[in-house]
Amino acid sequence: MVVPELRPWRAARPHVARIADTVRPRLARVAGIVRPSLARVATAAGPHLVRLTRAARPRLALVTKAGANARSWQYTAGAATAGLALAAGVVTAAGPWDSTGQRTAERDRATALERTGGVDHGRKGDSPQKAGRSDTSDPSGTAAGAPRPAPSAPSVLTGLGGAAGAVQAAPDTVPSATALKTVLDRLLADPALGRRHTAAVVDVATGKRLYGAGADQALTPASTTKIATAVAALSAMGADHRLTTRAALEPDTREVVLVGGGDPTLTARAAAGDRASLRTLATTTAKALKKRGLTSVTLSYDTTLFAGSEIHPIGVNPNLAAVTALTADEARTDGSTSGPVARVTDPAADATRKFAEFLKAEGIGTTAPGPSKATTRATTLATVTSPPLSALVERMLTNSDNDIAEALARQTALATGVRADFAGGGKAVQAQLKKLGLPVAGTAFKDGSGLDRGDRLTADLLTALLVEAGDPAHPELRSVLTGLPVAGFTGTLSTRYADGAAGVVRAKTGTLTGVNTLAGTVVDQDGRLLAFALLAADTTDPTAAQTALDRTATTLAGCGCR
């Protein structure tokens, strides 16, 4: 019997063939990665499969008895069940999908330089501590009971399938500058991108710029500023640095001072996760007070770590709380963890009132809290510490968190001996980037988040930052890449690229009225990791401008451009 080929299949066959050719190399790589794990899973799963077979035998018998008249849905259900079991086995063997979205090209470059262990504040040896810095961590080093250092990049990446100590060579096929120009010039001529727009594309492996259009012209970067803040903070303090909030007792006065350490992720919520918990701090503080025979104290709070105005130059705004060294849950007035929302007017007082409530629940009475400053004679009763700086950077970039960005800019200022206010944070960020040898000519940093329209960055600088973060010589900067939102999946890109390069483009977005920007990384059709930066000013339709930027990034992902 000859089965005629259906007309729809004839039409679709060329497209299917191209798709098959595209995914075949990737499937081969995946097969190579999961093959050893599948063997282990098969061995471990043997007993479970035997039990499942025994349990399923009566039901299979019923299906068999149905014979030729058995309904097709029964066989379909059986096949579906078997397929799900196989899929579950493959997923188990391969391990969880890379939650940060880091792709092979990034992972291979990240494992180039083997480093082990974290320094947890960099207390010993090559400490990042600088003169004039107000340290917010335990000065005694890694004390007993202190948080364990964050894992170093290679060990984490090896767990994701990267080979420790070995790097897969980048493909020899570097995109042609001429071919890229032909493709990108046309896309960037879209009227939706306004009268002024700039762009740069750089090969991460070599640092060579492959495309530039006004790349050295500084424009308003909006939230892509956070990439610069991240690199500056990590280079100044180290990926393992943590921020400490403490409760201190003044001698002979029964005054407990809640000392803010500038941790933007401190939480008063019951489900703290990996964040420092105000409840835990209160519980430990209460125990220390009771050991001293104290059940009633004067309560105050110290926010003197940061200086200057707490209100951003744009004024009160739902995108950012007042910037203070002591705040809980970003001073949010609802249960949210990201996005714009009304904030309490005095975050430090609000956090301390919650601390007082937690102390009361532990049997410690307090006065109404007020501002103060802990003296050098005060005894530390208890401390809680933030996640490592690398985790804060990832959270900031993925969610475009302005509160974390402004806190990290001020922490960078403290680490480099600069006044910790808006201007000082911007000055410290720029100085740190210059110290790294990055192209800062023409740039201006007025804040750490990009909310200030006075910020100015170039496409050259943004791509240079991404290349620096991918440099094996700078593993401390790796979270800049791993924190970038994944197109179609995470953060500010979760609802974008539905019909384009979902899962392939990773980028930081930037949006202000009349400003649309995008900067990140993409692996092209030949497996080459490229860094790109696209800045558009004077846009009139934000949706159209965003679509134009996404289209350009998608084109890079699908372009061999040789």
Side-chain angles (χ1 to χ4, degrees), residues 352-387:
T352 310
R353 282 192 292 269
K354 292 175 180 175
F355 184 64
E357 293 171 6
F358 301 147
L359 285 176
K360 182 178 179 180
E362 298 291 337
I364 303 295
T366 70
T367 60
S372 183
K373 178 176 172 58
T375 68
T376 56
R377 297 175 59 237
T379 301
T380 296
L381 297 174
T383 63
V384 288
T385 55
S386 72

PDB file of all heavy atoms in Angstrom, residues 352-387:
ATOM      1  N   THR A 352      12.085  49.841  62.610  1.00  0.00           N
ATOM      2  CA  THR A 352      12.357  49.745  64.045  1.00  0.00           C
ATOM      3  C   THR A 352      11.085  49.465  64.835  1.00  0.00           C
ATOM      4  O   THR A 352      11.112  48.744  65.841  1.00  0.00           O
ATOM      5  CB  THR A 352      13.041  51.019  64.550  1.00  0.00           C
ATOM      6  OG1 THR A 352      14.150  51.341  63.701  1.00  0.00           O
ATOM      7  CG2 THR A 352      13.554  50.845  65.971  1.00  0.00           C
ATOM      8  N   ARG A 353       9.957  50.022  64.415  1.00  0.00           N
ATOM      9  CA  ARG A 353       8.683  49.712  65.077  1.00  0.00           C
ATOM     10  C   ARG A 353       8.358  48.220  64.941  1.00  0.00           C
ATOM     11  O   ARG A 353       7.878  47.583  65.891  1.00  0.00           O
ATOM     12  CB  ARG A 353       7.560  50.560  64.490  1.00  0.00           C
ATOM     13  CG  ARG A 353       7.534  52.001  65.000  1.00  0.00           C
ATOM     14  CD  ARG A 353       6.260  52.708  64.624  1.00  0.00           C
ATOM     15  NE  ARG A 353       6.160  52.941  63.192  1.00  0.00           N
ATOM     16  CZ  ARG A 353       6.599  54.041  62.582  1.00  0.00           C
ATOM     17  NH1 ARG A 353       7.165  55.009  63.302  1.00  0.00           N
ATOM     18  NH2 ARG A 353       6.461  54.182  61.285  1.00  0.00           N
ATOM     19  N   LYS A 354       8.632  47.660  63.782  1.00  0.00           N
ATOM     20  CA  LYS A 354       8.408  46.220  63.597  1.00  0.00           C
ATOM     21  C   LYS A 354       9.362  45.419  64.482  1.00  0.00           C
ATOM     22  O   LYS A 354       8.980  44.396  65.064  1.00  0.00           O
ATOM     23  CB  LYS A 354       8.595  45.851  62.130  1.00  0.00           C
ATOM     24  CG  LYS A 354       7.508  46.424  61.223  1.00  0.00           C
ATOM     25  CD  LYS A 354       7.790  46.155  59.766  1.00  0.00           C
ATOM     26  CE  LYS A 354       6.677  46.734  58.889  1.00  0.00           C
ATOM     27  NZ  LYS A 354       6.960  46.596  57.440  1.00  0.00           N
ATOM     28  N   PHE A 355      10.602  45.893  64.587  1.00  0.00           N
ATOM     29  CA  PHE A 355      11.581  45.241  65.452  1.00  0.00           C
ATOM     30  C   PHE A 355      11.091  45.258  66.900  1.00  0.00           C
ATOM     31  O   PHE A 355      11.220  44.267  67.625  1.00  0.00           O
ATOM     32  CB  PHE A 355      12.921  45.960  65.327  1.00  0.00           C
ATOM     33  CG  PHE A 355      14.049  45.345  66.090  1.00  0.00           C
ATOM     34  CD1 PHE A 355      14.520  44.078  65.777  1.00  0.00           C
ATOM     35  CD2 PHE A 355      14.673  46.040  67.123  1.00  0.00           C
ATOM     36  CE1 PHE A 355      15.584  43.513  66.478  1.00  0.00           C
ATOM     37  CE2 PHE A 355      15.732  45.489  67.823  1.00  0.00           C
ATOM     38  CZ  PHE A 355      16.191  44.218  67.505  1.00  0.00           C
ATOM     39  N   ALA A 356      10.489  46.376  67.313  1.00  0.00           N
ATOM     40  CA  ALA A 356       9.951  46.488  68.670  1.00  0.00           C
ATOM     41  C   ALA A 356       8.817  45.482  68.893  1.00  0.00           C
ATOM     42  O   ALA A 356       8.707  44.878  69.975  1.00  0.00           O
ATOM     43  CB  ALA A 356       9.442  47.909  68.913  1.00  0.00           C
ATOM     44  N   GLU A 357       7.985  45.292  67.891  1.00  0.00           N
ATOM     45  CA  GLU A 357       6.894  44.317  68.000  1.00  0.00           C
ATOM     46  C   GLU A 357       7.439  42.910  68.167  1.00  0.00           C
ATOM     47  O   GLU A 357       6.912  42.118  68.964  1.00  0.00           O
ATOM     48  CB  GLU A 357       6.005  44.391  66.758  1.00  0.00           C
ATOM     49  CG  GLU A 357       5.226  45.695  66.621  1.00  0.00           C
ATOM     50  CD  GLU A 357       4.534  45.802  65.272  1.00  0.00           C
ATOM     51  OE1 GLU A 357       4.581  44.814  64.499  1.00  0.00           O
ATOM     52  OE2 GLU A 357       3.946  46.865  64.986  1.00  0.00           O
ATOM     53  N   PHE A 358       8.495  42.598  67.444  1.00  0.00           N
ATOM     54  CA  PHE A 358       9.100  41.270  67.552  1.00  0.00           C
ATOM     55  C   PHE A 358       9.764  41.087  68.917  1.00  0.00           C
ATOM     56  O   PHE A 358       9.720  39.991  69.493  1.00  0.00           O
ATOM     57  CB  PHE A 358      10.119  41.050  66.434  1.00  0.00           C
ATOM     58  CG  PHE A 358       9.538  41.173  65.043  1.00  0.00           C
ATOM     59  CD1 PHE A 358      10.302  41.663  63.996  1.00  0.00           C
ATOM     60  CD2 PHE A 358       8.221  40.814  64.790  1.00  0.00           C
ATOM     61  CE1 PHE A 358       9.778  41.777  62.719  1.00  0.00           C
ATOM     62  CE2 PHE A 358       7.679  40.923  63.509  1.00  0.00           C
ATOM     63  CZ  PHE A 358       8.458  41.413  62.473  1.00  0.00           C
ATOM     64  N   LEU A 359      10.388  42.143  69.439  1.00  0.00           N
ATOM     65  CA  LEU A 359      10.976  42.079  70.777  1.00  0.00           C
ATOM     66  C   LEU A 359       9.888  41.863  71.835  1.00  0.00           C
ATOM     67  O   LEU A 359      10.061  41.067  72.771  1.00  0.00           O
ATOM     68  CB  LEU A 359      11.749  43.365  71.088  1.00  0.00           C
ATOM     69  CG  LEU A 359      13.111  43.550  70.416  1.00  0.00           C
ATOM     70  CD1 LEU A 359      13.683  44.928  70.754  1.00  0.00           C
ATOM     71  CD2 LEU A 359      14.093  42.451  70.831  1.00  0.00           C
ATOM     72  N   LYS A 360       8.772  42.556  71.663  1.00  0.00           N
ATOM     73  CA  LYS A 360       7.660  42.416  72.617  1.00  0.00           C
ATOM     74  C   LYS A 360       7.153  40.981  72.643  1.00  0.00           C
ATOM     75  O   LYS A 360       6.836  40.430  73.714  1.00  0.00           O
ATOM     76  CB  LYS A 360       6.535  43.371  72.227  1.00  0.00           C
ATOM     77  CG  LYS A 360       5.346  43.352  73.188  1.00  0.00           C
ATOM     78  CD  LYS A 360       4.285  44.355  72.754  1.00  0.00           C
ATOM     79  CE  LYS A 360       3.098  44.321  73.706  1.00  0.00           C
ATOM     80  NZ  LYS A 360       2.041  45.296  73.292  1.00  0.00           N
ATOM     81  N   ALA A 361       7.072  40.363  71.457  1.00  0.00           N
ATOM     82  CA  ALA A 361       6.629  38.972  71.381  1.00  0.00           C
ATOM     83  C   ALA A 361       7.601  38.028  72.090  1.00  0.00           C
ATOM     84  O   ALA A 361       7.221  36.925  72.496  1.00  0.00           O
ATOM     85  CB  ALA A 361       6.475  38.550  69.925  1.00  0.00           C
ATOM     86  N   GLU A 362       8.848  38.483  72.274  1.00  0.00           N
ATOM     87  CA  GLU A 362       9.872  37.691  72.964  1.00  0.00           C
ATOM     88  C   GLU A 362      10.000  38.083  74.435  1.00  0.00           C
ATOM     89  O   GLU A 362      10.919  37.635  75.121  1.00  0.00           O
ATOM     90  CB  GLU A 362      11.226  37.871  72.268  1.00  0.00           C
ATOM     91  CG  GLU A 362      11.277  37.388  70.830  1.00  0.00           C
ATOM     92  CD  GLU A 362      11.183  35.881  70.705  1.00  0.00           C
ATOM     93  OE1 GLU A 362      11.516  35.178  71.700  1.00  0.00           O
ATOM     94  OE2 GLU A 362      10.767  35.398  69.648  1.00  0.00           O
ATOM     95  N   GLY A 363       9.101  38.955  74.900  1.00  0.00           N
ATOM     96  CA  GLY A 363       9.108  39.324  76.312  1.00  0.00           C
ATOM     97  C   GLY A 363       9.963  40.524  76.657  1.00  0.00           C
ATOM     98  O   GLY A 363      10.285  40.735  77.837  1.00  0.00           O
ATOM     99  N   ILE A 364      10.320  41.338  75.669  1.00  0.00           N
ATOM    100  CA  ILE A 364      11.129  42.530  75.915  1.00  0.00           C
ATOM    101  C   ILE A 364      10.297  43.778  75.609  1.00  0.00           C
ATOM    102  O   ILE A 364       9.837  43.967  74.480  1.00  0.00           O
ATOM    103  CB  ILE A 364      12.403  42.549  75.033  1.00  0.00           C
ATOM    104  CG1 ILE A 364      13.244  41.296  75.264  1.00  0.00           C
ATOM    105  CG2 ILE A 364      13.215  43.820  75.300  1.00  0.00           C
ATOM    106  CD1 ILE A 364      13.819  41.171  76.656  1.00  0.00           C
ATOM    107  N   GLY A 365      10.121  44.614  76.619  1.00  0.00           N
ATOM    108  CA  GLY A 365       9.394  45.858  76.440  1.00  0.00           C
ATOM    109  C   GLY A 365      10.325  46.958  75.953  1.00  0.00           C
ATOM    110  O   GLY A 365      11.507  46.983  76.300  1.00  0.00           O
ATOM    111  N   THR A 366       9.803  47.882  75.135  1.00  0.00           N
ATOM    112  CA  THR A 366      10.625  48.968  74.599  1.00  0.00           C
ATOM    113  C   THR A 366       9.871  50.290  74.643  1.00  0.00           C
ATOM    114  O   THR A 366       8.640  50.322  74.710  1.00  0.00           O
ATOM    115  CB  THR A 366      11.022  48.703  73.125  1.00  0.00           C
ATOM    116  OG1 THR A 366       9.854  48.824  72.299  1.00  0.00           O
ATOM    117  CG2 THR A 366      11.642  47.338  72.946  1.00  0.00           C
ATOM    118  N   THR A 367      10.634  51.367  74.564  1.00  0.00           N
ATOM    119  CA  THR A 367      10.036  52.686  74.390  1.00  0.00           C
ATOM    120  C   THR A 367       9.712  52.881  72.911  1.00  0.00           C
ATOM    121  O   THR A 367      10.106  52.078  72.069  1.00  0.00           O
ATOM    122  CB  THR A 367      11.028  53.780  74.815  1.00  0.00           C
ATOM    123  OG1 THR A 367      12.207  53.678  73.982  1.00  0.00           O
ATOM    124  CG2 THR A 367      11.440  53.622  76.270  1.00  0.00           C
ATOM    125  N   ALA A 368       8.995  53.948  72.602  1.00  0.00           N
ATOM    126  CA  ALA A 368       8.777  54.289  71.199  1.00  0.00           C
ATOM    127  C   ALA A 368      10.132  54.628  70.588  1.00  0.00           C
ATOM    128  O   ALA A 368      10.896  55.420  71.149  1.00  0.00           O
ATOM    129  CB  ALA A 368       7.821  55.472  71.095  1.00  0.00           C
ATOM    130  N   PRO A 369      10.458  54.051  69.443  1.00  0.00           N
ATOM    131  CA  PRO A 369      11.806  54.244  68.886  1.00  0.00           C
ATOM    132  C   PRO A 369      12.025  55.629  68.310  1.00  0.00           C
ATOM    133  O   PRO A 369      11.096  56.279  67.821  1.00  0.00           O
ATOM    134  CB  PRO A 369      11.886  53.186  67.783  1.00  0.00           C
ATOM    135  CG  PRO A 369      10.463  52.945  67.381  1.00  0.00           C
ATOM    136  CD  PRO A 369       9.661  53.117  68.636  1.00  0.00           C
ATOM    137  N   GLY A 370      13.274  56.087  68.383  1.00  0.00           N
ATOM    138  CA  GLY A 370      13.673  57.359  67.802  1.00  0.00           C
ATOM    139  C   GLY A 370      15.073  57.263  67.230  1.00  0.00           C
ATOM    140  O   GLY A 370      15.799  56.298  67.504  1.00  0.00           O
ATOM    141  N   PRO A 371      15.504  58.245  66.428  1.00  0.00           N
ATOM    142  CA  PRO A 371      16.838  58.215  65.825  1.00  0.00           C
ATOM    143  C   PRO A 371      17.940  58.418  66.854  1.00  0.00           C
ATOM    144  O   PRO A 371      17.761  59.130  67.842  1.00  0.00           O
ATOM    145  CB  PRO A 371      16.796  59.361  64.815  1.00  0.00           C
ATOM    146  CG  PRO A 371      15.753  60.295  65.353  1.00  0.00           C
ATOM    147  CD  PRO A 371      14.725  59.436  66.018  1.00  0.00           C
ATOM    148  N   SER A 372      19.088  57.800  66.614  1.00  0.00           N
ATOM    149  CA  SER A 372      20.238  57.916  67.509  1.00  0.00           C
ATOM    150  C   SER A 372      21.475  57.493  66.721  1.00  0.00           C
ATOM    151  O   SER A 372      21.416  57.316  65.508  1.00  0.00           O
ATOM    152  CB  SER A 372      20.042  57.029  68.747  1.00  0.00           C
ATOM    153  OG  SER A 372      21.110  57.174  69.656  1.00  0.00           O
ATOM    154  N   LYS A 373      22.584  57.352  67.420  1.00  0.00           N
ATOM    155  CA  LYS A 373      23.817  56.856  66.811  1.00  0.00           C
ATOM    156  C   LYS A 373      24.540  55.994  67.820  1.00  0.00           C
ATOM    157  O   LYS A 373      24.789  56.423  68.955  1.00  0.00           O
ATOM    158  CB  LYS A 373      24.724  58.013  66.375  1.00  0.00           C
ATOM    159  CG  LYS A 373      26.049  57.554  65.768  1.00  0.00           C
ATOM    160  CD  LYS A 373      26.871  58.718  65.273  1.00  0.00           C
ATOM    161  CE  LYS A 373      28.268  58.288  64.850  1.00  0.00           C
ATOM    162  NZ  LYS A 373      28.266  57.255  63.804  1.00  0.00           N
ATOM    163  N   ALA A 374      24.859  54.784  67.412  1.00  0.00           N
ATOM    164  CA  ALA A 374      25.567  53.873  68.303  1.00  0.00           C
ATOM    165  C   ALA A 374      26.984  54.378  68.534  1.00  0.00           C
ATOM    166  O   ALA A 374      27.664  54.794  67.599  1.00  0.00           O
ATOM    167  CB  ALA A 374      25.600  52.476  67.700  1.00  0.00           C
ATOM    168  N   THR A 375      27.406  54.342  69.779  1.00  0.00           N
ATOM    169  CA  THR A 375      28.760  54.773  70.095  1.00  0.00           C
ATOM    170  C   THR A 375      29.733  53.618  69.911  1.00  0.00           C
ATOM    171  O   THR A 375      29.336  52.464  69.733  1.00  0.00           O
ATOM    172  CB  THR A 375      28.844  55.253  71.558  1.00  0.00           C
ATOM    173  OG1 THR A 375      28.665  54.115  72.438  1.00  0.00           O
ATOM    174  CG2 THR A 375      27.777  56.292  71.849  1.00  0.00           C
ATOM    175  N   THR A 376      31.009  53.936  69.967  1.00  0.00           N
ATOM    176  CA  THR A 376      32.029  52.901  69.821  1.00  0.00           C
ATOM    177  C   THR A 376      32.083  52.000  71.055  1.00  0.00           C
ATOM    178  O   THR A 376      32.679  50.921  71.005  1.00  0.00           O
ATOM    179  CB  THR A 376      33.408  53.545  69.615  1.00  0.00           C
ATOM    180  OG1 THR A 376      33.684  54.444  70.698  1.00  0.00           O
ATOM    181  CG2 THR A 376      33.447  54.305  68.304  1.00  0.00           C
ATOM    182  N   ARG A 377      31.441  52.437  72.134  1.00  0.00           N
ATOM    183  CA  ARG A 377      31.423  51.638  73.374  1.00  0.00           C
ATOM    184  C   ARG A 377      30.279  50.643  73.391  1.00  0.00           C
ATOM    185  O   ARG A 377      30.194  49.794  74.282  1.00  0.00           O
ATOM    186  CB  ARG A 377      31.323  52.569  74.585  1.00  0.00           C
ATOM    187  CG  ARG A 377      32.515  53.513  74.734  1.00  0.00           C
ATOM    188  CD  ARG A 377      32.308  54.501  75.875  1.00  0.00           C
ATOM    189  NE  ARG A 377      32.119  53.830  77.154  1.00  0.00           N
ATOM    190  CZ  ARG A 377      31.059  53.986  77.947  1.00  0.00           C
ATOM    191  NH1 ARG A 377      30.088  54.807  77.575  1.00  0.00           N
ATOM    192  NH2 ARG A 377      30.975  53.340  79.088  1.00  0.00           N
ATOM    193  N   ALA A 378      29.369  50.735  72.427  1.00  0.00           N
ATOM    194  CA  ALA A 378      28.200  49.853  72.408  1.00  0.00           C
ATOM    195  C   ALA A 378      28.616  48.411  72.142  1.00  0.00           C
ATOM    196  O   ALA A 378      29.527  48.138  71.354  1.00  0.00           O
ATOM    197  CB  ALA A 378      27.215  50.315  71.343  1.00  0.00           C
ATOM    198  N   THR A 379      27.943  47.495  72.811  1.00  0.00           N
ATOM    199  CA  THR A 379      28.209  46.066  72.661  1.00  0.00           C
ATOM    200  C   THR A 379      27.210  45.453  71.684  1.00  0.00           C
ATOM    201  O   THR A 379      25.999  45.630  71.834  1.00  0.00           O
ATOM    202  CB  THR A 379      28.076  45.343  74.017  1.00  0.00           C
ATOM    203  OG1 THR A 379      28.999  45.910  74.950  1.00  0.00           O
ATOM    204  CG2 THR A 379      28.339  43.856  73.860  1.00  0.00           C
ATOM    205  N   THR A 380      27.701  44.750  70.702  1.00  0.00           N
ATOM    206  CA  THR A 380      26.817  44.106  69.731  1.00  0.00           C
ATOM    207  C   THR A 380      26.132  42.909  70.380  1.00  0.00           C
ATOM    208  O   THR A 380      26.788  42.005  70.902  1.00  0.00           O
ATOM    209  CB  THR A 380      27.600  43.653  68.493  1.00  0.00           C
ATOM    210  OG1 THR A 380      28.138  44.806  67.838  1.00  0.00           O
ATOM    211  CG2 THR A 380      26.702  42.902  67.523  1.00  0.00           C
ATOM    212  N   LEU A 381      24.805  42.913  70.343  1.00  0.00           N
ATOM    213  CA  LEU A 381      24.016  41.825  70.922  1.00  0.00           C
ATOM    214  C   LEU A 381      23.722  40.738  69.889  1.00  0.00           C
ATOM    215  O   LEU A 381      23.706  39.548  70.221  1.00  0.00           O
ATOM    216  CB  LEU A 381      22.687  42.365  71.462  1.00  0.00           C
ATOM    217  CG  LEU A 381      22.763  43.389  72.601  1.00  0.00           C
ATOM    218  CD1 LEU A 381      21.373  43.928  72.898  1.00  0.00           C
ATOM    219  CD2 LEU A 381      23.361  42.741  73.852  1.00  0.00           C
ATOM    220  N   ALA A 382      23.446  41.150  68.671  1.00  0.00           N
ATOM    221  CA  ALA A 382      23.061  40.182  67.632  1.00  0.00           C
ATOM    222  C   ALA A 382      23.267  40.809  66.259  1.00  0.00           C
ATOM    223  O   ALA A 382      23.235  42.035  66.110  1.00  0.00           O
ATOM    224  CB  ALA A 382      21.611  39.755  67.811  1.00  0.00           C
ATOM    225  N   THR A 383      23.459  39.969  65.258  1.00  0.00           N
ATOM    226  CA  THR A 383      23.612  40.445  63.879  1.00  0.00           C
ATOM    227  C   THR A 383      22.875  39.513  62.923  1.00  0.00           C
ATOM    228  O   THR A 383      22.677  38.328  63.214  1.00  0.00           O
ATOM    229  CB  THR A 383      25.087  40.496  63.445  1.00  0.00           C
ATOM    230  OG1 THR A 383      25.624  39.164  63.461  1.00  0.00           O
ATOM    231  CG2 THR A 383      25.915  41.390  64.353  1.00  0.00           C
ATOM    232  N   VAL A 384      22.468  40.060  61.784  1.00  0.00           N
ATOM    233  CA  VAL A 384      21.983  39.255  60.654  1.00  0.00           C
ATOM    234  C   VAL A 384      22.658  39.798  59.404  1.00  0.00           C
ATOM    235  O   VAL A 384      22.944  40.993  59.310  1.00  0.00           O
ATOM    236  CB  VAL A 384      20.443  39.299  60.505  1.00  0.00           C
ATOM    237  CG1 VAL A 384      19.766  38.514  61.603  1.00  0.00           C
ATOM    238  CG2 VAL A 384      19.927  40.732  60.467  1.00  0.00           C
ATOM    239  N   THR A 385      22.935  38.921  58.462  1.00  0.00           N
ATOM    240  CA  THR A 385      23.666  39.349  57.270  1.00  0.00           C
ATOM    241  C   THR A 385      22.888  39.028  55.996  1.00  0.00           C
ATOM    242  O   THR A 385      22.128  38.067  55.931  1.00  0.00           O
ATOM    243  CB  THR A 385      25.047  38.673  57.186  1.00  0.00           C
ATOM    244  OG1 THR A 385      24.878  37.259  57.238  1.00  0.00           O
ATOM    245  CG2 THR A 385      25.935  39.124  58.326  1.00  0.00           C
ATOM    246  N   SER A 386      23.125  39.846  54.992  1.00  0.00           N
ATOM    247  CA  SER A 386      22.465  39.705  53.705  1.00  0.00           C
ATOM    248  C   SER A 386      23.005  38.508  52.935  1.00  0.00           C
ATOM    249  O   SER A 386      24.043  37.950  53.298  1.00  0.00           O
ATOM    250  CB  SER A 386      22.708  40.968  52.874  1.00  0.00           C
ATOM    251  OG  SER A 386      24.060  41.007  52.433  1.00  0.00           O
ATOM    252  N   PRO A 387      22.343  38.125  51.855  1.00  0.00           N
ATOM    253  CA  PRO A 387      22.962  37.179  50.923  1.00  0.00           C
ATOM    254  C   PRO A 387      24.242  37.802  50.370  1.00  0.00           C
ATOM    255  O   PRO A 387      24.451  39.015  50.494  1.00  0.00           O
ATOM    256  CB  PRO A 387      21.896  37.026  49.829  1.00  0.00           C
ATOM    257  CG  PRO A 387      20.611  37.435  50.472  1.00  0.00           C
ATOM    258  CD  PRO A 387      20.981  38.510  51.442  1.00  0.00           C
TER     259      PRO A 387
END
